[in-house]
């Protein structure tokens, strides 16, 4: 068996991780479901997905995990209202910075 054939046959057996699915799915229903996952890594995948609904962004912007909130703050499709809230959060300096930079990027693209 050639190495290429072995790699292809092994690739068929591998299932994508929940984080990979969360980060790459276009299904709003899947994103809503995964936004409640116990694993913060899955919620990070959701926060980084460009297809999140406003409701999912809102929920994840209040997540107890720092990395999830960072994902929301850096997502280019996050609504301005949520980014403004995150950019004013004095308790979360890094999230505040990400949200501010994302807001600047959005505002400069509009002008």
């Amino acid at each position: 068996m050639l190495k290429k054939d072995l790699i292809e046959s092994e690739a068929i057996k591998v299932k994508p991780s929940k984080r990979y699915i969360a980060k790459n799915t276009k299904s709003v229903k899947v994103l809503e479901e995964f936004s409640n996952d116990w694993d913060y890594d899955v919620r990070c995948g959701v926060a980084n997905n460009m297809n999140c609904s406003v409701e999912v962004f809102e929920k994840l912007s209040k997540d107890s995990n720092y990395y999830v909130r960072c994902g929301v703050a850096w997502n280019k499709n996050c609504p301005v209202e949520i980014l403004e809230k995150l950019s004013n959060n004095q308790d979360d300096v890094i999230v505040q910075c990400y949200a501010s930079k994302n807001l600047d990027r959005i505002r400069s693209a509009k002008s």
Side-chain angles (χ1 to χ4, degrees):
M1 187 180 272
L2 296 173
K3 186 175 182 180
K4 180 182 175 190
D5 294 333
L6 180 61
I7 291 171
E8 288 175 1
S9 68
E10 290 300 312
I12 292 169
K13 296 177 185 174
V14 176
K15 289 185 178 180
S17 70
K18 281 179 86 173
R19 179 184 165 105
Y20 177 85
I21 294 168
K23 190 173 180 180
N24 295 290
T25 188
K26 293 181 181 176
S27 169
V28 175
K29 186 175 182 176
V30 170
L31 290 169
E32 287 174 3
E33 179 183 332
F34 282 10
S35 70
N36 295 312
D37 200 275
W38 65 270
D39 186 349
Y40 81 89
D41 204 34
V42 173
R43 296 191 314 277
C44 281
V46 173
N48 285 289
N49 190 305
M50 304 293 272
N51 299 300
C52 281
S53 66
V54 174
E55 295 79 18
V56 170
F57 277 127
E58 184 69 40
K59 180 186 345 179
L60 294 179
S61 72
K62 300 171 186 169
D63 196 276
S64 62
N65 186 276
Y66 161 81
Y67 295 107
V68 175
R69 294 190 308 276
C70 283
V72 171
W74 197 244
N75 192 312
K76 293 178 183 178
N77 284 354
C78 185
V80 171
E81 299 79 27
I82 295 171
L83 290 173
E84 286 173 343
K85 286 179 194 174
L86 290 172
S87 69
N88 291 321
N89 185 344
Q90 301 298 319
D91 299 328
D92 237 341
V93 177
I94 302 298
V95 174
Q96 180 185 26
C97 181
Y98 281 166
S100 295
K101 286 185 180 217
N102 203 2
L103 276 171
D104 290 345
R105 179 175 33 210
I106 290 169
R107 290 175 180 147
S108 66
K110 288 182 179 179
S111 43

